[in-house]
């Protein structure tokens, strides 16, 4: 848990050191148990999860999600204030457990602020978290924390069952991956995913005269195979309305919903708005979430573009079946510096061989401004590139694409 803890032993509660595995088992079984109504299989699974956590992180992750689901169901019925408090405690402790699982996979982005235990927490200690523990470590973490609250509010307004009719009315999903492959075969250059992007946290507003439909049409005219549409409003000034406008305007390029996904609900929502693909970020999502979301994507017809930043994230994603499209972001999440040699580093040696054997399409992302940049990442092994800033800032984005590749790639 992040931050500094001030520990005050509550009177008459003895403190006795115990092993971490025993402590975790007792912690979960005690705090996740709502009382006699708790199903015995759930109680057993908690103990089994705790004792297995050190030897099998994946098993731990699976049981963590099951615990959250089953325990949430047990507490779903209306109750007294004490029951509501118990539920808050449960949610907080499951969140702590999820963060622990994510940490074992090298995930540094925390899904929500470490706010500490809810009011009325009953335990052997009272905790006080300092402010520095609740400060986002970087811009991605700040976005994810905000997105977690935003999606919770959206889900209340639009529960999943209410999206079913919208999914039935949504236009058919188009072949995002097929479009990239076709562009590569046609031009012998990486297929272009051109980004419809008004602003970014690091660069501010990129284009004042921003008309998403006009920009999308210019990209398509210039030879883009697919488009990426920013849908985050707070940090990138994007919207799902922009995505719908582009789709309804008759643009034929398949559309990637460029969103910060923290909940499977967002996948259904993106498809209902006409998206053909969606971004999943390995630095944010544990393996179990990625596996689950990839299956949901394929079920509703979306192509998942899974984004990685370093070797560990790449290795994690290559171990997951069903991933066909991986983006390498050349931007360092800690410093926000960009280095396109990151693409080459992640595609060398045995890792690159494994990528070729699995027939995974690699997308180069960030820091691509010139024909030399495109040639560099293509030689490293990419067959597609995602580019926004260097072309959206051009007065004529169509000509911007020609300048990026050093030649006309239009159909």
């Amino acid at each position: 848990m992040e931050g500094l803890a001030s520990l005050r032993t509550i009177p008459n509660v003895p403190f006795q050191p115990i092993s971490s595995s025993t402590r975790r088992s007792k912690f979960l079984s005690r705090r996740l148990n709502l009382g006699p109504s708790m199903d015995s299989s759930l109680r057993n699974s908690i103990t089994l999860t705790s004792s297995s956590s050190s030897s099998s992180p994946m098993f731990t992750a699976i049981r963590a999600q099951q615990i959250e689901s089953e325990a949430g169901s047990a507490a779903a019925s209306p109750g007294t204030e004490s029951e509501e408090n118990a539920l808050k405690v449960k949610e907080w402790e499951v969140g702590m457990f999820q963060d622990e699982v994510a940490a074992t996979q090298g995930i540094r982005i925390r899904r929500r602020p470490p706010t500490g235990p809810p009011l009325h927490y009953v335990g052997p200690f009272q905790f006080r978290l300092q402010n520095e523990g609740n400060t986002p470590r970087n811009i991605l973490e700040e976005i994810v924390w905000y997105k977690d609250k935003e999606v919770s509010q959206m889900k209340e307004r639009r529960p999943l069952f209410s999206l079913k009719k919208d999914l039935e009315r949504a236009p058919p999903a188009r072949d995002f991956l097929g479009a990239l492959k076709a562009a590569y075969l046609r031009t012998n250059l990486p297929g272009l995913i051109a980004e419809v992007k008004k602003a970014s946290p690091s660069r501010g507003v990129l284009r004042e005269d921003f008309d998403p439909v006009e920009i999308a049409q210019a990209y398509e005219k210039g030879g883009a195979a697919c488009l990426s549409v920013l849908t985050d409003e707070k940090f990138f000034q994007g919207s799902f309305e922009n995505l719908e406008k582009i789709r309804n305007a008759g643009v034929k390029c398949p559309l990637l919903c460029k969103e910060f996904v923290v909940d499977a609900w967002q996948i259904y929502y993106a498809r209902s708005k006409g998206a053909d693909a969606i971004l999943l970020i390995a630095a944010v999502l544990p393996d179990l979430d990625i596996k689950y979301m990839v299956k949901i994507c394929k079920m509703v017809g979306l192509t998942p573009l899974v984004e990685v930043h370093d070797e560990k994230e790449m290795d994690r994603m290559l171990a997951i079946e069903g991933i066909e499209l991986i983006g390498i972001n050349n931007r360092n999440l800690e410093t926000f510096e960009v280095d396109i040699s990151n693409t080459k580093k992640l595609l060398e040696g045995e890792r690159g061989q494994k990528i070729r054997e699995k027939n995974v399409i690699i997308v180069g992302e960030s820091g691509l401004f010139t024909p030399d940049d495109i040639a560099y990442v293509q030689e490293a092994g990419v067959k597609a590139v995602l580019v926004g800033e260097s072309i959206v800032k051009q007065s004529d984005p169509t000509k911007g694409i020609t300048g990026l590749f050093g030649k006309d790639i239009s159909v």
Side-chain angles (χ1 to χ4, degrees), residues 178-221:
L180 293 177
K181 291 178 179 179
Y184 182 80
L185 292 174
R186 179 177 63 83
T187 64
N188 200 32
L189 289 167
L192 173 63
I193 307 170
E195 192 151 83
V196 181
K197 179 180 183 179
K198 181 176 181 178
S200 76
S202 59
R203 300 288 188 178
V205 174
L206 300 174
R207 189 182 183 96
E208 293 288 353
D209 58 331
F210 184 81
D211 185 319
V213 173
E214 285 186 4
I215 293 170
Q217 291 170 336
Y219 285 161
E220 186 170 55
K221 182 180 177 183

Side-chain angles (χ1 to χ4, degrees), residues 37-88:
S37 63
M38 185 178 221
D39 184 83
S40 61
S41 63
L42 175 56
R43 186 180 296 108
N44 292 337
S45 70
I46 293 171
T47 304
L48 180 58
T49 301
S50 303
S51 62
S52 304
S53 61
S54 61
S55 60
S56 177
M58 179 53 66
F59 181 77
T60 303
I62 292 171
R63 292 305 307 142
Q65 181 159 321
Q66 291 173 340
I67 289 167
E68 180 178 21
S69 173
E70 294 165 2
S73 300
S77 58
T80 64
E81 182 181 352
S82 62
E83 289 174 333
E84 292 176 359
N85 291 334
L87 179 59
K88 290 179 181 179

Side-chain angles (χ1 to χ4, degrees), residues 26-42:
K26 290 184 177 180
F27 173 79
L28 286 170
S29 60
R30 182 181 68 249
R31 300 310 309 162
L32 288 175
N33 186 354
L34 284 178
S37 63
M38 185 178 221
D39 184 83
S40 61
S41 63
L42 175 56

Side-chain angles (χ1 to χ4, degrees), residues 293-304:
M293 290 180 181
V294 166
K295 289 180 179 179
I296 295 296
C297 284
K298 295 189 176 183
M299 186 176 74
V300 300
L302 286 176
T303 298

